[in-house]
């Protein structure tokens, strides 16, 4: 439903948080002199659920008696219950035990939904007596907990107990995503970010039901993952970054911990090792990866430099077998991203040969290949996931071979683009991307001739040549990330920029509670 212009202005004027909660003012207005029942305000959820009804009556309240009850058999459901209880304890200071049986007043129950099976969907009912989260699969239960999180006051995010009251108006939500792939890419190669910073990033992704964290783990300016069979990649190739700072890398243990942290939030890590180009850090570490056998110096500049793995040397393929083999062992998910972008120093026929060999390796390891749109120029297997960023013809070439598309249009979803001329950091080669631009596009209609079933979803991309600190990561990510999340999750009907920006504004106290900086765009009616 689109709001009429008049309604819109009422909503904007009245977008005041209820005790800090993400709520919009009610459209119900009592007649003068009479006490009409007040329709409870609709919560400002992002992504917007498929269906939400305010059911009326007295609110539910979290009290010292509240328990989380698990009635879903999957072990992951128990883990989600523990996650929710931990979050509620920190927010409320109540004990919030996790139990599996017994009649508990004021309970929050996680149960199986046999009626509406869906991989990530869920139903959420709030009544005076309790909260019910139901899902067929554990991922749906997790997403339901994130909806519940947004139904509670933003003060809950700070991680220290707060007095409450912790009330939620009765409602019914029936929700499921539009696309299976809702991603966010972080380039840890141009500037390195620590495992703890990546975990903080994951926590924000979870809040918006993003389910893919794509880590760009190697580039000319740095190699960021320990590879035991080629140790200098990390120890030498990871020893600097753009601007000459100290760089860094994830040990395999740290990386596994990131993957686990993400999995607990039902986020799959998509690891990318970029090849055959963007490889200066690897070639600086091992001279045999160049055609002439001479190692280049480490590179700390910002601009892309031409380079390529030597496509006709056997050692090149031993290298990718070894690296992708160790990566596959660290990757519980089905995908390995091999980059494949901007191979300007590789002849077209060599590029096609190289991508075929890389694809064979990925398949031998039991994984599916993901590549940037350029891999559409090579022979790729049906079901390959191809990430569009700029060139529709290359994406269409991939689709003609049965690929699935993930859309990361650089004009819409590149978070390294400046918001506007005043943005102090970032790029502008794809144009400015303000909050409205980042919200108003559609993954199916963006490229002509694409059908809904060919699209896996949408992904934001944060390249970090000009993003040097984690504060800067935050500033470029928020408030744009919730827009990509909603594009990937919510139906097109019933949402639009004017009502979205009002919902978005109410989320700012939540980000602040989490200690995240954000860009206070003039497009958004912040309270
Ligand atoms: C293009 S998009 C690149 C990256 C840069 C980015 C900067 C793509 C697949 N390649 O290597 O970091 O532009 O915006």
């Amino acid at each position: 439903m689109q709001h009429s212009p008049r309604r819109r202005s009422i909503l904007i004027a009245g977008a005041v948080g209820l005790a800090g909660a993400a709520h919009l003012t009610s459209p119900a207005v009592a007649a003068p002199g009479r006490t009409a029942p007040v329709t409870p305000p609709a919560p400002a959820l992002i992504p917007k659920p498929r269906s939400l009804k305010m059911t009326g009556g007295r609110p539910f309240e979290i009290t010292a008696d509240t328990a989380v009850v698990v009635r879903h058999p999957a072990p992951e459901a128990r883990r989600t219950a523990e996650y929710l209880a931990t979050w509620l304890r920190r927010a409320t200071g109540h004990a919030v035990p996790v139990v599996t049986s017994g009649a508990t007043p004021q309970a929050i129950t996680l149960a199986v939904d046999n009626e509406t099976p869906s991989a990530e969907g869920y139903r959420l009912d709030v009544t005076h007596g309790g909260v019910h989260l139901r899902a067929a699969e554990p991922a749906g239960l997790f997403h339901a907990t994130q909806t519940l999180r947004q139904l509670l006051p933003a003060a809950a995010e700070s991680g220290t107990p707060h007095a409450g009251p912790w009330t939620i108006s009765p409602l019914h939500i029936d929700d499921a995503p539009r696309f299976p792939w809702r991603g966010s890419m972080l380039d840890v190669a141009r500037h390195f970010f620590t495992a703890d910073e990546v975990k903080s990033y994951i926590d924000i992704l979870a809040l918006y039901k993003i389910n893919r964290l794509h880590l760009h783990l190697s580039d000319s300016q740095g190699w960021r993952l320990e590879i035991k069979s080629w140790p200098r990649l990390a120890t030498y190739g990871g020893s600097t970054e753009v601007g000459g700072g100290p760089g860094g890398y994830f040990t395999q243990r740290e990386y596994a911990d990131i993957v686990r942290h993400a999995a607990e939030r039902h986020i799959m890590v998509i690891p990318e090792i970029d090849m055959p180009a963007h490889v200066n850090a690897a070639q600086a570490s091992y001279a045999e990866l160049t055609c002439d056998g001479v190692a280049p110096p480490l590179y700390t500049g910002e601009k892309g430099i031409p380079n390529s793995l030597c496509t006709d040397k056997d050692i090149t393929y031993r290298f990718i077998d070894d690296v992708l083999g160790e990566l596959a062992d660290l990757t519980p998910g089905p995908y390995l991203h091999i980059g494949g972008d901007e191979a300007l120093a590789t002849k077209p026929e060599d590029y096609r040969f190289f991508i075929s060999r890389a694809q064979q390796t990925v398949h031998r390891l039991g994984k599916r290949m993901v590549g940037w749109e350029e891999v559409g120029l090579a022979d790729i297997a049906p079901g390959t996931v191809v990430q569009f960023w700029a060139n529709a013809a290359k994406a269409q070439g991939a689709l003609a071979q049965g690929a699935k598309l993930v859309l990361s249009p650089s004009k819409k979803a590149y978070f390294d683009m400046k918001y506007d001329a005043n943005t102090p950091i970032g790029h502008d080669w794809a144009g400015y991307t303000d909050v409205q631009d980042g919200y108003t596009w559609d993954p199916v209609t963006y490229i002509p001739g694409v059908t809904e079933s060919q699209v896996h979803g949408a992904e934001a991309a944060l390249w970090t040549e000009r993003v040097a600190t984690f504060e800067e990561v935050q500033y470029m990510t928020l408030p744009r990330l919730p827009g990509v999340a909603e594009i990937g999750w919510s139906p097109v009907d019933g949402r639009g920029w004017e009502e979205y920006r009002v919902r978005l504004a109410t989320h700012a106290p939540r980000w602040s509670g989490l200690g995240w900086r954000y860009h206070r765009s003039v497009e958004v009616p912040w309270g």
Side-chain angles (χ1 to χ4, degrees):
M1 182 193 70
Q2 287 285 351
H3 292 300
S4 70
R6 198 164 150 261
R7 166 80 69 72
R8 203 181 284 157
S9 61
I10 292 168
L11 287 179
I12 293 167
V16 181
L18 263 188
H23 285 88
L24 299 186
T25 46
S26 165
V29 178
R34 278 177 49 200
T35 27
V38 179
T39 309
L45 299 170
I46 300 177
K48 192 167 194 165
R50 195 171 274 193
S51 124
L52 182 158
K53 275 194 211 79
M54 302 310 292
T55 47
R58 289 154 71 203
F60 168 81
E61 182 169 4
I62 296 172
T63 67
D65 293 331
T66 297
V68 173
V69 182
V70 203
R71 293 192 204 282
H72 192 296
E76 296 103 308
R78 172 83 199 197
R79 209 173 58 191
T80 293
E82 296 286 356
Y83 165 95
L84 175 63
T86 303
W87 190 85
L88 291 169
R89 278 173 211 140
R90 279 197 203 126
T92 65
H94 295 316
V96 199
V98 176
V99 298
T100 47
S101 60
T104 317
Q106 302 305 113
I108 301 173
T109 306
L110 278 58
V112 189
D113 190 345
N114 295 317
E115 278 165 49
T116 51
S118 133
E120 293 187 282
Y122 67 91
R123 291 190 289 167
L124 192 159
D125 284 283
V126 178
T127 63
H128 178 58
V131 173
H132 276 88
L133 318 184
R134 289 188 189 84
E137 302 291 334
L141 276 185
F142 184 80
H143 294 319
T145 66
Q146 298 306 298
T147 300
L148 182 61
R149 184 175 163 191
Q150 291 190 16
L151 292 171
L152 288 163
E157 302 291 351
S158 74
T160 45
H162 181 90
W166 300 99
T167 56
I168 310 176
S169 297
L171 52 72
H172 172 76
I173 290 172
D174 202 331
D175 202 8
R178 179 178 173 200
F179 295 110
W181 185 301
R182 304 170 307 279
S184 189
M185 188 210 78
L186 182 61
D187 170 8
V188 294
R190 270 57 174 271
H191 279 97
F192 181 65
F193 300 96
T194 65
D196 281 343
E197 289 167 340
V198 174
K199 287 190 200 168
S200 167
Y201 196 75
I202 288 169
D203 293 345
I204 283 277
L205 301 185
L207 177 60
Y208 293 107
K209 302 184 173 70
I210 297 272
N211 65 352
R212 304 278 185 267
L213 168 65
H214 169 178
L215 287 176
H216 184 72
L217 289 167
S218 71
D219 213 298
S220 283
Q221 296 92 339
W223 184 285
R224 305 301 177 203
L225 178 65
E226 174 192 18
I227 299 295
K228 295 193 168 155
S229 52
W230 295 71
R232 266 172 65 81
L233 290 171
T235 57
Y236 185 67
S239 65
T240 189
E241 59 189 1
V242 168
Y249 64 89
F250 304 125
T251 63
Q252 292 201 359
R253 185 189 281 267
E254 285 170 327
Y255 184 79
D257 188 44
I258 290 171
V259 170
R260 200 174 319 111
H261 188 87
E264 277 169 14
R265 288 152 184 78
H266 290 273
I267 294 171
M268 183 191 291
V269 175
I270 311 292
E272 178 188 352
I273 297 293
D274 205 349
M275 56 180 94
H278 292 275
V279 291
N280 189 79
Q283 292 179 323
S285 310
Y286 290 98
E288 55 269 48
L289 296 176
T290 64
C291 284
D292 62 7
V294 179
L298 290 169
Y299 177 63
T300 60
E302 183 200 305
K303 286 199 167 20
I305 43 169
N307 53 47
S308 177
L309 292 174
C310 198
T311 57
D312 51 14
K313 268 187 167 178
D314 285 345
I315 188 139
T316 297
Y317 301 100
R318 185 140 45 92
F319 168 77
I320 66 176
D321 282 3
D322 290 345
V323 169
L324 293 180
E326 290 191 38
L327 192 60
D329 288 345
L330 290 164
T331 303
Y335 301 106
L336 297 181
H337 198 312
I338 56 107
D341 59 312
E342 300 178 316
L344 306 176
T346 318
K347 290 196 202 106
E349 64 269 29
D350 294 345
Y351 180 79
R352 285 196 296 273
F353 177 78
F354 178 86
I355 296 296
S356 295
R357 287 289 297 263
Q359 175 168 260
Q360 277 171 25
T361 301
V362 171
H363 289 176
R364 187 176 47 72
L365 293 165
K367 302 292 186 189
R368 281 169 69 181
M369 188 171 85
V370 188
W372 293 102
E373 66 197 16
E374 287 89 336
V375 301
L377 298 169
D379 293 332
I380 50 172
T384 299
V385 175
V386 171
Q387 193 168 3
F388 164 82
W389 61 281
N391 186 307
K394 289 175 191 164
Q396 282 155 340
L399 287 179
Q401 301 186 66
K404 298 288 182 189
L405 277 194
V406 168
L407 282 98
S408 300
S410 44
K411 290 178 182 307
K412 297 287 188 181
Y414 268 27
F415 290 172
D416 55 317
M417 293 304 139
K418 291 172 183 264
Y419 293 95
D420 56 39
N422 297 322
T423 309
I425 54 169
H427 289 122
D428 58 8
W429 64 261
Y432 300 134
T433 303
D434 65 21
V435 185
Q436 181 172 5
D437 291 328
Y439 180 72
T440 47
W441 63 281
D442 185 86
V444 176
T445 59
Y446 195 81
I447 302 175
V450 172
T451 61
E452 182 114 10
S453 67
Q454 292 177 312
V455 174
H456 251 25
E459 184 172 300
L462 179 54
W463 301 101
T464 58
E465 291 98 328
R466 297 186 178 181
V467 179
T469 65
F470 193 58
E471 265 217 330
E472 291 174 354
V473 166
Q474 297 168 357
Y475 175 81
M476 298 306 268
T477 300
L478 292 177
R480 289 184 284 205
L481 180 80
V484 176
E486 181 151 304
I487 286 169
W489 180 283
S490 308
V492 175
D493 276 359
R495 63 180 179 87
W497 165 247
E498 290 298 341
E499 62 87 27
Y500 170 74
R501 66 192 191 117
V502 179
R503 273 186 287 134
L504 183 63
T506 68
H507 285 239
R510 211 164 281 280
W511 306 332
S512 302
L514 289 163
W516 269 56
R517 244 184 104 203
Y518 63 97
H519 167 56
R520 266 185 92 83
S521 164
V522 294
E523 305 160 273
V524 182
W526 311 110

